[in-house]
Amino acid sequence: MQRSGGEYEPSAGNGTGAHRRRPAHHASSSSSTTSNSTADLPSRLEDSDKKSILMAYLLYFMFGWCGAHLFYLGRDFHAFVSITTFGRFSVGLILDVFRIPGYVAQANEDPDVIEDWELFLRRPRSRCRACCSFPLWSRAVLQLLTALLYIVMAQAAVPPDIEYHAHVKSAVAVIAISVAVWLVANIGIEKIDFRTVFFTAVACHIILWTQYTDTAPMLVYPVILFTNMWSVYRGRYERSSVRQLKARGKWTRRVYICAGFMLIGALSTGVILLNAEVQNERGEPVKLYDALKNFYNSPAWDEMFTTFEKVKEETFRDDDGDEYDSKWDRFFSSLKDAFDVDGERRSLRDLGLPEDATDSQIKAKYRKLAKEYHPDRNRGNEKAASEKFMKVQEAYETLQKYRTLRKGAGK
């Protein structure tokens, strides 16, 4: 961006380190100022610490999808944003082809980059102009999209049967917004503290809570606005991510990276468990979380070896007239039935009924057990009676759910 008098200012927030030389006629006028500022700077990076543009491109083309080139250049925040947003929604990963030279220049503390940022930090007016620059607004768009994605993923990982579900989802949304905005705000040279972003999100949430039940969609905008203004005017500026990582230590960095990957893995696992579906032996959908819970409570878990022996016998029995196309189809069907993914066999067992029980028998047995274990009829033993009552009620609801689906499908 060209200023009056031929000066150039760096693009705030893009972290590309666009090494633009100022015109020769201006170099002499600012040489004294620049020399005074650079005299106080730490020594230059050692040759062993400098990054290779060839290696950066090699990692980009081989493992760019997992942010390997960004980790190599010390841009850890950038790498985590890229991984969790699918390469910054694919657009950022493609643009990295053109931005890698700037990333390398910034990591290696290229003199032109340092000079640009020294001039930028000494002139408050340049920060004002940076507020209206394209890189800052493009970063705000990335913060918005990343925050919305994190909100959806984090709230999808909240179990639906958890106590105070609505409040937990709101708290999770505040944390997700804070993390997303903070990560994107720390891409490149600007650095901002997480506490600033988090307290801003909490304050905005409290204010908006009086007007909106679900504050997550409205909360993103003021947090992004305040964070970017704070980053431009009051944020810290670090010239080289490589120098920061060297000061922090290799093992500290490895711990942070491992913790980040563990958090991503835990969140992804929660989303898959609570939202993915499997089919039982009748083709009816069952939530993966419910299927695993039912499997843990199924006879197959209690009698693992006996169950596999039965599945083996059922798979390899001689019966050419059955409905299965191959032994593999028969095997998987027997496995689903044995593992009780829909919880039907466990529910019948909890009610004390055989597997061929009719709907009328199920209803009659449920009413009998519900009356027997109702807490009001078990004074002095309410806790044990309440547990049995809830178990009977859950078993009946499970049976009703899948039998109703089966009737609707005509099975």
Side-chain angles (χ1 to χ4, degrees), residues 276-280 283-288 291-292 336 341:
E277 292 183 345
V278 296
Q279 291 183 337
N280 60 14
E284 300 160 350
V286 183
K287 291 290 185 183
L288 182 58
L292 292 176
K336 289 178 182 178
V341 295

Side-chain angles (χ1 to χ4, degrees), residues 99-360:
R99 292 175 174 173
I100 284 178
Y103 295 162
V104 175
Q106 181 186 327
N108 291 338
E109 295 187 347
D110 183 275
D112 292 326
V113 177
I114 296 175
E115 188 177 13
D116 278 348
W117 277 101
E118 283 296 307
L119 291 173
F120 174 74
L121 294 177
R122 286 201 308 271
R123 288 180 170 81
R125 279 197 311 170
S126 63
R127 297 194 181 193
C128 296
R129 293 177 180 236
C131 294
C132 302
S133 64
F134 174 76
L136 186 70
W137 288 105
S138 63
R139 183 175 69 181
V141 172
L142 179 59
Q143 286 175 326
L144 174 63
L145 296 177
T146 305
L148 293 177
L149 177 62
Y150 282 16
I151 290 171
V152 172
M153 292 185 63
Q155 290 187 340
V158 177
D161 54 350
I162 194 173
E163 193 174 1
Y164 304 110
H165 183 259
H167 296 286
V168 172
K169 289 186 70 175
S170 297
V172 165
V174 171
I175 297 173
I177 292 171
S178 303
V179 171
V181 175
W182 173 67
L183 284 175
V184 178
N186 281 275
I187 291 177
I189 294 180
E190 296 91 345
K191 301 297 170 187
I192 189 169
D193 191 30
F194 178 76
R195 290 173 296 180
T196 303
V197 185
F198 179 70
F199 289 143
T200 302
V202 171
C204 294
H205 171 71
I206 294 173
I207 295 172
L208 293 174
W209 183 262
T210 59
Q211 301 294 328
Y212 304 96
T213 305
D214 184 9
T215 62
M218 301 294 297
L219 187 60
V220 180
Y221 303 102
V223 175
I224 291 176
L225 179 63
F226 177 82
T227 301
N228 285 318
M229 296 300 101
W230 185 271
S231 175
V232 169
Y233 286 103
R234 307 289 294 179
R236 294 180 294 109
Y237 294 83
E238 302 287 350
R239 292 187 292 109
S240 173
S241 54
V242 176
R243 189 185 294 277
Q244 298 172 56
L245 298 177
K246 188 176 180 181
R248 188 185 301 166
K250 291 182 179 180
W251 285 106
T252 304
R253 184 195 183 199
R254 289 171 184 172
V255 169
Y256 285 152
I257 292 176
C258 289
F261 276 113
M262 290 174 63
L263 182 61
I264 294 172
L267 181 62
S268 303
T269 302
V271 172
I272 293 172
L273 281 177
L274 294 173
N275 296 275
E277 292 183 345
V278 296
Q279 291 183 337
N280 60 14
E281 69 276 7
R282 301 177 185 84
E284 300 160 350
V286 183
K287 291 290 185 183
L288 182 58
Y289 174 76
D290 294 331
L292 292 176
K293 184 172 64 173
N294 292 330
F295 165 65
Y296 181 75
N297 295 317
S298 68
W301 181 262
D302 299 330
E303 306 169 0
M304 181 69 73
F305 295 101
T306 305
T307 300
F308 275 110
E309 189 64 31
K310 289 175 61 177
V311 170
K312 177 183 176 182
E313 293 176 359
E314 180 69 19
T315 302
F316 295 100
R317 64 183 170 83
D318 295 328
D319 189 358
D320 297 333
D322 58 12
E323 58 181 328
Y324 302 107
D325 296 332
S326 66
K327 292 187 181 296
W328 282 111
D329 292 338
R330 189 189 298 166
F331 168 75
F332 285 117
S333 179
S334 302
L335 204 62
K336 289 178 182 178
D337 183 51
F339 285 172
D340 192 28
V341 295
D342 56 9
E344 189 170 358
R345 292 174 62 193
R346 175 183 58 83
S347 300
L348 289 170
R349 183 184 60 185
D350 292 342
L351 294 177
L353 293 170
E355 293 188 11
D356 58 351
T358 62
D359 290 346
S360 58

